[in-house]
Amino acid sequence: MKVLSYIALLPFVIACGSKTEKAADKPTPPPPRAPNEVFLSKAQIQAAGIELGTFTRRDLGTEVQATGQIDVPPSHKVSITAVMGGYVQQLPVLPGQHVLQGSVLATLRNPDYLKLQQDYLQSQARIVFLKQETARQQVLNDEDVGARRKLQQATSELRTEQAAAGSLAAQLRLIGLKPERITATNIQPSVPLIAPISGYVKAVMVNPGQFVNPQDVLIELVDRSDLHLELKVFERDIAKVKVGQDILFRVPAQGASAQPLPATVFLVGKAFDDDGRTVSVHAHLHDTGPDAAATAALLPGQYVSARILTGRTPQRTLPEDALVPGGEVSYGYYQVKSDAKGSTFRRFSLRPGATDQGQVAVRPLDKLADTTHLVVKGAYFLDAERSKGQGGDE
């Protein structure tokens, strides 16, 4: 009976043994890791060319990032208007054209111009008569023939007419006419608009035949002789900016390959822009030396990105290959564990700063010692492996 029992149990023992062997052959899944960690085998580390190192201390320049535009002082931008309304008769200038101070930009015509000249000539004629009348009354008064009141009246009327003539003469000068050249046979039917400065025509807003009012802008002029930078610096950085500091700026429209151009801070604003909490910083461009040609090609209104060089201080640095850019915050990796199978690396956040000869100033957002084993080469590979391990999610 015992033999029969052993025979009956034999298939069960064999089945259990088979399941045990299969369970032993199945690999044990690796323990779950933190979202910011990634494990690489020694073969992967070697194939990816990952190298370890530590922070280095370098005397790097500190800088403030800013954006702004090429600008000119308000005195170098002029809007041409008509003091008295009129019809545009001639318009000999085009946008982009260079004009000299005193050049005729446009000619206007209006019957009111003729009336103003007529009033001025009539006032001059009346002054001549009143001078003669005053002289006669003075003679009569000296001889006690005329009444003293008539002399005073003639004198008063002369002064009143002289004031009116002076006002009319000033109005003629405002519209561009010279009163001393106006005669009964030389009344001008049109008036010129004269360029008050030398510069380039930025815009022409009218066309011949159009009627313009005194408040209408006809032409805009820009004098490029004093181009400068107008930058916007955020509140947190403005205390670092001082007059005399150097600036390197680029015009994004010129492409990433364009060399940065130099400038020097000459004015730091003393009030905040309430909307953006920024302060205006003005800088002179360097219009001499090797950068003079590039500076001369700049145009008012062009957008620029700039770095204000505020000083040099010892800073923690890492090679550029150690950083994975991520906007305002970048990322790096350091080794947290290593054994015969491989190494585990953890991602950390940092803020990049100035770059000098391939070394980037960094400010880790986590507390890390200077002796931490950091990945100085191959960070992109680690980040890709970590992303795959998380199913592509960051």
Side-chain angles (χ1 to χ4, degrees):
M1 294 295 291
K2 289 184 178 181
V3 174
L4 293 175
S5 299
Y6 289 141
I7 294 172
L9 291 173
L10 184 60
F12 177 75
V13 173
I14 294 172
C16 290
S18 176
K19 289 182 180 180
T20 304
E21 290 175 0
K22 289 181 180 179
D25 293 341
K26 187 176 180 181
T28 303
R33 292 188 175 86
N36 282 332
E37 290 187 357
V38 58
F39 174 81
L40 293 185
S41 66
K42 287 190 173 182
Q44 287 178 302
I45 293 174
Q46 185 175 2
I50 291 175
E51 296 179 8
L52 299 179
T54 59
F55 290 112
T56 57
R57 295 274 179 174
R58 297 190 64 172
D59 191 20
L60 290 184
T62 56
E63 60 185 40
V64 169
Q65 302 286 337
T67 58
Q69 63 179 4
I70 306 294
D71 202 3
V72 295
S75 60
H76 286 53
K77 294 185 286 189
V78 178
S79 297
I80 307 299
T81 59
V83 177
M84 289 181 65
Y87 293 91
V88 179
Q89 184 176 9
Q90 295 180 344
L91 197 62
V93 296
L94 294 173
Q97 181 178 340
H98 185 266
V99 295
L100 297 175
Q101 183 178 6
S103 302
V104 176
L105 302 177
T107 303
L108 304 181
R109 56 181 174 82
N110 194 326
D112 290 343
Y113 304 155
L114 301 175
K115 182 65 168 59
L116 184 60
Q117 295 173 78
Q118 177 186 341
D119 292 344
Y120 174 73
L121 292 175
Q122 289 176 342
S123 181
Q124 289 293 327
R126 183 164 174 75
I127 287 174
V128 173
F129 168 76
L130 290 174
K131 284 182 177 180
Q132 294 172 348
E133 179 63 19
T134 302
R136 284 194 297 269
Q137 293 299 328
Q138 183 66 52
V139 171
L140 293 175
N141 183 71
D142 292 343
E143 295 177 355
D144 292 330
V145 175
R148 188 175 187 84
R149 185 182 65 81
K150 289 185 178 181
L151 174 61
Q152 293 173 343
Q153 182 179 354
T155 303
S156 176
E157 291 178 354
L158 174 61
R159 291 174 179 172
T160 300
E161 196 62 40
Q162 287 175 331
S167 175
L168 291 169
Q171 293 179 53
L172 290 170
R173 292 189 184 95
L174 282 176
I175 66 174
L177 296 176
K178 295 183 178 181
E180 58 274 13
R181 294 185 179 180
I182 297 175
T183 64
T185 58
N186 187 31
I187 295 180
Q188 302 296 319
S190 59
V191 300
L193 292 182
I194 304 300
I197 62 172
S198 297
Y200 289 87
V201 178
K202 180 182 178 181
V204 178
M205 274 78 80
V206 294
N207 51 268
Q210 181 178 344
F211 183 85
V212 294
N213 293 300
Q215 68 270 20
D216 296 333
V217 176
L218 284 70
I219 299 169
E220 291 185 351
L221 294 182
V222 176
D223 179 7
R224 299 180 68 256
S225 62
D226 192 12
L227 286 178
H228 68 270
L229 292 183
E230 182 178 358
L231 303 175
K232 298 295 183 182
V233 177
F234 287 107
E235 179 179 1
R236 65 176 181 267
D237 296 323
I238 193 60
K240 306 174 188 175
V241 181
K242 309 294 181 184
V243 173
Q245 290 174 341
D246 291 328
I247 294 176
L248 292 176
F249 71 94
R250 296 176 184 272
V251 179
Q254 295 179 349
S257 60
Q259 291 296 318
L261 298 174
T264 303
V265 176
F266 74 89
L267 178 64
V268 179
K270 302 301 180 184
F272 285 104
D273 176 359
D274 294 333
D275 294 334
R277 298 300 295 173
T278 59
V279 177
S280 294
V281 173
H282 297 266
H284 283 307
L285 306 182
H286 294 188
D287 53 4
T288 58
D291 300 305
T295 300
L298 298 175
L299 298 174
Q302 281 185 309
Y303 176 83
V304 301
S305 59
R307 296 183 292 124
I308 305 174
L309 309 181
T310 56
R312 299 187 72 85
T313 56
Q315 299 182 64
R316 275 179 164 184
T317 66
L318 285 174
E320 291 180 336
D321 289 342
L323 274 63
V324 179
E328 290 188 4
V329 177
S330 295
Y331 303 96
Y333 284 85
Y334 64 93
Q335 187 184 64
V336 294
K337 183 180 178 182
S338 181
D339 54 30
K341 295 181 180 179
S343 299
T344 300
F345 301 92
R346 181 175 297 161
R347 187 174 77 160
F348 68 96
S349 303
L350 55 87
R351 290 191 183 275
T355 301
D356 184 16
Q357 297 180 354
Q359 293 289 322
V360 183
V362 295
R363 182 166 62 87
L365 302 184
D366 305 324
K367 287 186 177 181
L368 295 176
D370 283 347
T371 56
T372 302
H373 292 165
L374 300 164
V375 175
V376 296
K377 185 177 181 181
Y380 276 97
F381 179 83
L382 275 174
D383 204 59
E385 289 296 312
R386 185 198 64 82
S387 182
K388 286 194 298 185
Q390 299 299 320
D393 296 331
E394 289 298 326

